[in-house]
């Protein structure tokens, strides 16, 4: 097979799987790696951490989740006055899919805040680390934003699949 035909096959395969060519290449390299290391989880070494935090204005349940490219996951719940830490593992394919979504939805170009003029309500923060730089997008719950809501829903879907183990105090 000539070089052009190979490039076309790779592009068609990436399109069929809903990936970018770079994302497909990363996955193929991951499959070909004998051991999974932290470098094989993330997309081209770019996204290394993704987090979601729910908080509120008064005393109530708050929740913070951090998913990392090395497969580790942490969840901190703050059910006033108690704080509880849980640890788990995120699947590589889930982290890949979420990192791809952040790139596709241009998360790193979004505004940092989506708030009305005055607010006394619950907040949602999504943050991610790409190339060592942290990006945080913060919105008040009543402020609708399709891009962040889709990312939030995907993170929450992945979090539901993690087997959480309560960390010792």
């Amino acid at each position: 097979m000539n070089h052009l035909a190979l490039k076309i096959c790779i592009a068609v395969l990436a399109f069929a799987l809903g990936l970018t060519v770079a994302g497909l290449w990363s996955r193929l390299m991951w499959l070909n790696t004998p051991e999974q290391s932290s470098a094989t989880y993330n997309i081209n070494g770019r996204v290394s951490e993704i987090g979601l935090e729910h908080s509120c204005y008064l005393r109530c349940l708050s929740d913070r989740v951090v998913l990392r490219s090395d497969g580790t996951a942490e969840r901190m719940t703050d059910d006033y006055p108690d704080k509880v830490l849980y640890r788990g593992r995120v699947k590589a394919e889930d982290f890949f899919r979420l990192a791809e979504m952040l790139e596709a939805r241009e998360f790193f170009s979004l505004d940092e805040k989506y708030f009305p003029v005055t607010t006394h309500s619950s907040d949602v923060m999504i943050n991610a680390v790409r190339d060592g730089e942290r990006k945080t997008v913060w919105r008040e719950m009543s402020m609708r934003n399709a891009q962040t809501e889709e990312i939030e829903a995907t993170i929450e879907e992945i979090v539901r699949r993690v087997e959480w183990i309560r960390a010792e105090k």
Side-chain angles (χ1 to χ4, degrees):
M1 183 181 296
N2 69 32
H3 191 64
L4 179 60
L6 180 61
K7 282 184 175 180
I8 291 171
C9 287
I10 290 172
V12 169
L13 181 60
F15 179 77
L17 293 173
L19 301 169
T20 63
V21 173
L24 174 63
W25 184 255
S26 293
R27 285 181 185 227
L28 291 173
M29 297 287 60
W30 178 75
L31 291 173
N32 196 32
T33 305
E35 294 180 18
Q36 288 185 357
S37 68
S38 61
T40 61
Y41 273 76
N42 56 18
I43 296 182
N44 298 327
R46 300 201 71 199
V47 177
S48 60
E49 184 178 295
I50 302 168
L52 176 65
E53 184 172 344
H54 293 100
S55 61
C56 63
Y57 179 64
L58 298 173
R59 294 183 210 170
C60 64
L61 178 67
S62 295
D63 191 51
R64 183 179 72 227
V65 175
V66 178
L67 310 173
R68 294 186 184 87
S69 62
D70 65 0
T72 60
E74 289 184 346
R75 182 176 196 164
M76 171 71 78
T77 59
D78 186 3
D79 190 3
Y80 185 83
D82 300 319
K83 292 184 182 192
V84 182
L85 176 65
Y86 298 89
R87 291 198 170 95
R89 302 281 304 162
V90 62
K91 293 181 180 177
E93 58 268 17
D94 287 339
F95 192 87
F96 268 117
R97 183 170 55 97
L98 185 55
E100 285 262 321
M101 174 185 271
L102 292 180
E103 297 290 356
R105 303 300 181 273
E106 299 180 347
F107 172 80
F108 295 95
S109 298
L110 292 175
D111 291 338
E112 290 184 8
K113 294 183 181 180
Y114 295 89
F115 277 93
V117 176
T118 61
T119 182
H120 298 292
S121 174
S122 299
D123 304 334
V124 176
M125 281 192 301
I126 301 172
N127 61 71
V129 176
R130 180 179 69 176
D131 296 333
E133 298 289 324
R134 181 174 301 277
K135 168 73 175 189
T136 300
V137 175
W138 192 10
R139 79 173 177 88
E140 196 263 345
M141 286 292 279
S142 67
M143 297 293 291
R144 309 300 293 180
N145 182 301
Q147 287 173 294
T148 61
E149 288 175 359
E150 183 181 8
I151 294 167
E152 289 166 36
T154 303
I155 294 170
E156 289 169 350
E157 170 195 326
I158 291 168
V159 166
R160 283 191 296 275
R161 290 197 299 267
V162 173
E163 187 176 322
W164 296 103
I165 298 170
R166 187 176 179 145
E168 297 297 320
K169 289 186 177 186

